Amino acid sequence: MKDASAPVKASFWFMFANIVQKAISVITTMIFTRVLTKGDYGIMNTFQAWYGVLNVIVTLCIPIGVYSNAMIDYKDELDEFTSSMLTLITINTAFAAIIFCVFKAQLIGLLNIPTSMVYLLFLSIWLNPALDFWFVQQKFSYKYKKSVFISLFTAVGGAALAYLFVVYMPFNKAFSKTLGGSLLTFIVCLYLYIMMIKRGKIGINKKYWKYALVFSIPLIPHFLSNQVLSSSDRIIISKMVSNEAAGLYGVAYSAATIIQIVSSSVNASWIPWTYQKLDKKEFDDIGKLSKPIIIVFALACFAFVIFAPEILHILADPKYKDAIWCMPPIILGVFFIFIYSLFSNIEFFYKKTKLIMIATSCAAVLNIVLNIMFIPVFGYIAAAYTTLAGYIALSVAHYFFMKKAQKAKIYDVKFIVLVSIALTLSSFVMMAFYEHFIIRYVIIFIIAIIVFIKRDYIISVMKKLKAQ
């Protein structure tokens, strides 16, 4: 690593910080499920879900979209562009807050979170873009030291403050946990916000705003649909069932975060190599290497399904034990996220963003409709299955759109379908043995023997992926 180039070092440390942040999130789940009620945990999950949705609408996706392009297109006017974007987001946030205050009686019922947390919601939407912009600047400059420090400082410090606030301000634990977890981030964001506004000295600028809006507005349906897919279930559960049910579902979702880390890491390694092969039109290489990777990831998902009772026991208090029945479909959903990412990577390479937007929007609408239909009838557990259905539909849509973008055969779809069916059926069979400890561990022992026999094959696949 000492002899590595600046981009390589920066990429490694940014990835390291991201993994540590997610690991801290998983670890703190073990703590807060034991000091918060199911209702409090449900309110927090609803808050996070609404933040994801409203952040896309209010910030117009500027921090996660156009700003990276502006780093190149406006590299000589970056300070001015940044302060202008912060001004635009400030105006949008103020406008959204005014709408809430005017229609507070109606909207508070829709949001289903305390008024105090709504104000925290707007404060987060207003301030967080400053930190997002700063992170992008650091990444483009390969200045990873300060960025990694701030990431870890706010993550570790935020977790510690959240715990202290919950213990010493127990009158509203959901609010205390959210405020404590966000306080250090707010302080850092406010400092960066003031610094960037002073440095840029530009507020309203038609040229900058037009550039940002033309780029960002078409992306809103795509990013909003992604948020709906991952968040609408928690919002609808809290509204149609209860905050306690949303808390149970949220714990199951947090447990699945572990396998999502694996999925994101594999895809991040896969994308650059895939793009190189697409550029050279070496489609067969992509298909060949994808097969062992899909098998290994499917096995990883199945392992999480097998050990779901133990994972939930470690992560959460016994009062959340019923969340176990949500975990298999949620984990299967992560598998199909990985599958559709293989297809959408091809679409991104050929710049078929409209097709991506159509696929994501249709899947989001399907997810909402299924949630509204089945959650009132079958309860919060239905959300895990409706979300799984949404991701399966998204995988199918992306496959056909990928074929439209590139007619040449890249992936063996029959192989992918067979692996998907095998994983799905075996996962549901394993659920039947969750309450039969001995039978489940006999199955685990048999699988462990198979993995041991095939260990050389699995190791070779991991080496190939690492080499890419």
Side-chain angles (χ1 to χ4, degrees):
M1 185 59 68
K2 289 183 179 180
D3 299 326
S5 63
V8 172
K9 283 183 179 179
S11 297
F12 169 80
W13 284 107
F14 286 132
M15 183 180 69
F16 170 78
N18 184 46
I19 292 173
V20 171
Q21 281 181 300
K22 290 179 178 178
I24 291 171
S25 176
V26 172
I27 292 168
T28 55
T29 299
M30 295 188 288
I31 299 171
F32 290 112
T33 55
R34 288 165 171 81
V35 296
L36 298 174
T37 66
K38 287 184 284 187
D40 289 329
Y41 205 84
I43 292 171
M44 280 170 39
N45 273 274
T46 305
F47 171 88
Q48 291 165 356
W50 275 118
Y51 172 79
V53 171
L54 294 177
N55 188 56
V56 170
I57 298 170
V58 176
T59 67
L60 305 173
C61 310
I62 290 170
I64 57 177
V66 70
Y67 194 75
S68 293
N69 294 69
M71 289 289 297
I72 297 171
D73 295 338
Y74 289 104
K75 60 183 177 181
D76 296 325
E77 306 170 47
L78 189 62
D79 290 339
E80 292 80 2
F81 182 87
T82 303
S83 65
S84 184
M85 291 303 100
L86 288 175
T87 302
L88 174 59
I89 291 171
T90 299
I91 293 171
N92 288 350
T93 307
F95 182 68
I98 290 170
I99 291 176
F100 170 75
C101 291
V102 173
F103 300 100
K104 181 179 177 181
Q106 296 83 358
L107 293 176
I108 200 67
L110 172 66
L111 296 174
N112 205 32
I113 57 176
T115 304
S116 57
M117 294 188 71
V118 177
Y119 295 136
L120 279 181
L121 188 67
F122 286 122
L123 192 61
S124 299
I125 292 172
W126 171 48
L127 290 176
N128 285 351
L131 184 57
D132 293 334
F133 291 158
W134 184 77
F135 277 138
V136 173
Q137 292 174 12
Q138 298 300 299
K139 287 178 181 178
F140 268 75
S141 303
Y142 307 122
K143 297 177 180 178
Y144 59 87
K145 293 182 180 179
K146 289 182 180 179
S147 181
V148 170
F149 173 77
I150 291 297
S151 297
L152 300 183
F153 172 71
T154 53
V156 176
L161 282 179
Y163 180 77
L164 291 174
F165 275 43
V166 168
V167 172
Y168 294 104
M169 295 170 58
F171 54 88
N172 186 338
K173 289 186 176 180
F175 173 79
S176 298
K177 194 273 180 186
T178 307
L179 177 61
S182 305
L183 189 59
L184 287 178
T185 302
F186 285 160
I187 293 171
V188 172
C189 287
L190 184 60
Y191 169 78
L192 292 172
Y193 180 92
I194 295 171
M195 181 187 72
M196 288 173 171
I197 291 290
K198 283 185 175 181
R199 187 182 293 169
K201 300 177 182 178
I202 295 289
I204 298 173
N205 185 291
K206 290 183 179 179
K207 181 180 72 170
Y208 297 152
W209 284 23
K210 182 180 178 180
Y211 171 85
L213 295 175
V214 167
F215 185 97
S216 297
I217 289 177
L219 291 175
I220 291 177
H222 170 65
F223 286 113
L224 186 59
S225 297
N226 273 323
Q227 287 297 328
V228 168
L229 271 171
S230 63
S231 304
S232 67
D233 42 16
R234 283 169 283 176
I235 293 171
I236 294 173
I237 289 169
S238 70
K239 187 68 179 173
M240 291 188 166
V241 186
S242 65
N243 284 324
E244 288 78 8
L248 286 166
Y249 187 78
V251 166
Y253 223 93
S254 296
T257 300
I258 302 170
I259 196 67
Q260 283 181 317
I261 295 172
V262 177
S263 175
S264 300
S265 300
V266 171
N267 194 47
S269 302
W270 178 255
I271 289 174
W273 181 83
T274 301
Y275 280 15
Q276 291 171 10
K277 292 296 180 180
L278 288 171
D279 189 49
K280 297 175 182 177
K281 300 188 183 302
E282 296 174 348
F283 304 130
D284 289 343
D285 290 350
I286 299 173
K288 287 177 183 177
L289 186 56
S290 69
K291 288 184 178 182
I293 291 174
I294 290 169
I295 289 175
V296 170
F297 188 68
L299 289 173
C301 289
F302 188 54
F304 269 80
V305 171
I306 292 173
F307 290 106
E310 286 73 23
I311 293 170
L312 189 64
H313 180 74
I314 293 169
L315 287 180
D317 188 82
K319 63 177 176 280
Y320 294 91
K321 64 180 181 180
D322 288 343
I324 186 63
W325 305 111
C326 292
M327 286 186 65
I330 290 175
I331 292 168
L332 288 171
V334 175
F335 174 77
F336 283 102
I337 290 173
F338 176 74
I339 294 299
Y340 92 65
S341 296
L342 296 178
F343 302 148
S344 64
N345 289 340
I346 311 298
E347 296 167 69
F348 273 115
F349 177 81
Y350 291 107
K351 299 180 174 63
K352 300 297 182 180
T353 52
K354 288 184 179 179
L355 296 179
I356 294 170
M357 182 190 72
I358 292 170
T360 313
S361 299
C362 290
V365 171
L366 173 66
N367 184 248
I368 291 174
V369 171
L370 292 177
N371 278 333
I372 293 173
M373 287 175 59
F374 293 110
I375 289 176
V377 179
F378 298 103
Y380 70 93
I381 294 177
Y385 291 91
T386 58
T387 301
L388 171 59
Y391 285 127
I392 291 174
L394 194 56
S395 299
V396 173
H398 275 303
Y399 170 74
F400 285 109
F401 287 155
M402 176 195 71
K403 295 296 291 182
K404 192 171 183 179
Q406 174 52 262
K407 291 181 171 57
K409 182 179 179 180
I410 299 176
Y411 297 109
D412 186 344
V413 68
K414 290 182 180 179
F415 170 81
I416 293 174
V417 170
L418 286 174
V419 173
S420 301
I421 292 173
L423 175 63
T424 302
L425 292 177
S426 58
S427 296
F428 290 144
V429 168
M430 186 54 63
M431 285 179 66
F433 299 112
Y434 276 172
E435 295 180 338
H436 303 281
F437 178 85
I438 296 175
I439 296 175
R440 188 161 58 89
Y441 268 79
V442 168
I443 296 172
I444 292 170
F445 180 72
I446 294 171
I447 293 172
I449 293 174
I450 295 171
V451 171
F452 179 78
I453 294 171
K454 295 289 185 179
R455 66 188 184 280
D456 292 337
Y457 173 77
I458 295 171
I459 293 170
S460 68
V461 171
M462 299 307 293
K463 285 182 177 179
K464 284 182 182 178
L465 182 60
K466 185 179 179 181
Q468 309 315 322

